[in-house]
Amino acid sequence: MSTILLVTPNEKNRGSFREYLLLEGYQVLEAASDEEALAIWQEQRPEMLIVDASLPGGGAMRVLKTVRAQSAKALIIMLSSRQTEANEEQEIEAFNEKVDDYIARPISVRVLLKRIQRRIEQQYEMGEVIALGHLTISHAAYQAWWRREALALTSKEFELLWTLAKSRDRVLTRSQLLDSVWGYDYIGDERVVDAHIKNLRHKLPVNVIRTVKGRGYTLSQELCFEENEKENGDADL
């Protein structure tokens, strides 16, 4: 479960965006100043910071420089001030200090949520974690979550889900799934795959596994994201 620290002096924006993040299942921390943000960072080390460039007195760059000096892995997104002549120089400075993303206002909340989600996915994909919309799978923890709720999977169900997620939107035959999950030396009925897929589907809140008749199975990346489109608003920050 990802924790996001939202840093902005604008209480209205902070409250509005907090609600959207909570709906997406993130844990949210809040700070109104650079001093408050750095105190929270030192104590709780959230995975991501969203920093408003309008923090007074160069506070946004102070947060960026301090956090980046202590962590190369922390994800940092900076939101620009409303369009000003200084924005270009500010953006260049932010990237020089290794900000992960710099987003110019105005921006739709829906778009910003997608940008956040993609940044988290990219970080996960560099390790043993796959994040697709509401579905997160950690091979290191040998656990899968839907909307941050743990799924009670058997080892074979987990390996099937992991294999399908790695090859998302590509059809895998029963033979390929047998080789990957049961091993090349497995001798038995291929229909064991069907039985485990059926059980796995029962445990997933949304059936993201599609049967392609005559070919095999595929995990639909689109279905993992589908509910987000229905729930997110379209306000601007």
Side-chain angles (χ1 to χ4, degrees):
M1 181 183 296
S2 296
T3 301
I4 297 176
L5 172 57
L6 183 59
V7 188
T8 174
N10 189 312
E11 185 175 354
K12 182 179 178 181
N13 281 356
R14 204 165 60 242
S16 174
F17 193 42
R18 177 186 64 238
E19 296 305 313
Y20 283 103
L21 290 172
L22 290 173
L23 282 173
E24 290 301 307
Y26 297 109
Q27 292 185 346
V28 182
L29 304 172
E30 299 177 54
S33 66
D34 55 321
E35 292 88 353
E36 188 178 359
L38 290 173
I40 292 172
W41 161 255
Q42 296 294 350
E43 182 179 345
Q44 302 199 43
R45 298 291 169 126
E47 289 88 349
M48 175 180 279
L49 295 87
I50 300 173
V51 184
D52 191 335
S54 66
L55 286 173
M61 292 306 302
R62 190 174 302 113
V63 171
L64 171 58
K65 291 177 181 179
T66 302
V67 172
R68 186 56 76 226
Q70 297 177 12
S71 172
K73 292 178 64 177
L75 293 170
I76 307 173
I77 293 177
M78 188 174 289
L79 299 180
S80 79
S81 307
R82 293 284 173 177
Q83 291 296 327
T84 67
E85 293 181 1
N87 278 359
E88 184 177 346
E89 292 303 317
Q90 184 184 66
E91 184 174 359
I92 291 170
E93 183 182 5
F95 278 113
N96 285 340
E97 296 298 334
K98 298 182 174 59
V99 74
D100 291 288
D101 206 352
Y102 183 97
I103 303 175
R105 282 189 170 100
I107 183 170
S108 157
V109 172
R110 290 175 62 193
V111 173
L112 183 53
L113 287 171
K114 290 295 185 185
R115 299 278 285 266
I116 291 168
Q117 192 171 51
R118 186 60 194 137
R119 284 292 171 184
I120 291 173
E121 286 170 7
Q122 288 171 337
Q123 187 181 64
Y124 283 158
E125 287 166 0
M126 290 189 291
E128 287 189 298
V129 178
I130 297 172
L132 295 169
H134 296 310
L135 179 65
T136 305
I137 314 169
S138 169
H139 205 279
Y142 219 69
Q143 180 65 62
W145 298 265
W146 183 269
R147 278 191 169 279
R148 282 71 184 181
E149 292 293 327
L151 302 174
L153 305 180
T154 67
S155 60
K156 286 293 188 287
E157 290 163 358
F158 176 85
E159 290 294 345
L160 275 172
L161 185 61
W162 176 260
T163 301
L164 288 165
K166 282 198 302 181
S167 302
R168 50 194 175 272
D169 292 323
R170 185 163 67 89
V171 178
L172 298 180
T173 65
R174 290 180 180 86
S175 179
Q176 288 172 318
L177 290 169
L178 278 172
D179 289 345
S180 179
V181 177
W182 279 264
Y184 290 100
D185 57 352
Y186 174 79
I187 300 175
D189 194 330
E190 282 190 347
R191 286 177 294 182
V192 68
V193 174
D194 301 338
H196 280 78
I197 290 288
K198 180 180 179 180
N199 292 337
L200 178 56
R201 281 172 166 159
H202 283 311
K203 295 180 179 181
L204 289 166
V206 174
N207 182 18
V208 297
I209 301 173
R210 294 175 50 240
T211 301
V212 180
K213 192 172 181 179
R215 294 184 61 194
Y217 297 100
T218 181
L219 187 143
S220 170
Q221 182 170 233
E222 181 181 356
L223 290 176
C224 292
F225 286 86
E226 188 173 291
E227 289 184 339
N228 289 349
E229 298 298 328
K230 297 175 183 176
E231 294 168 4
N232 292 342
D234 200 21
D236 289 334
L237 287 179

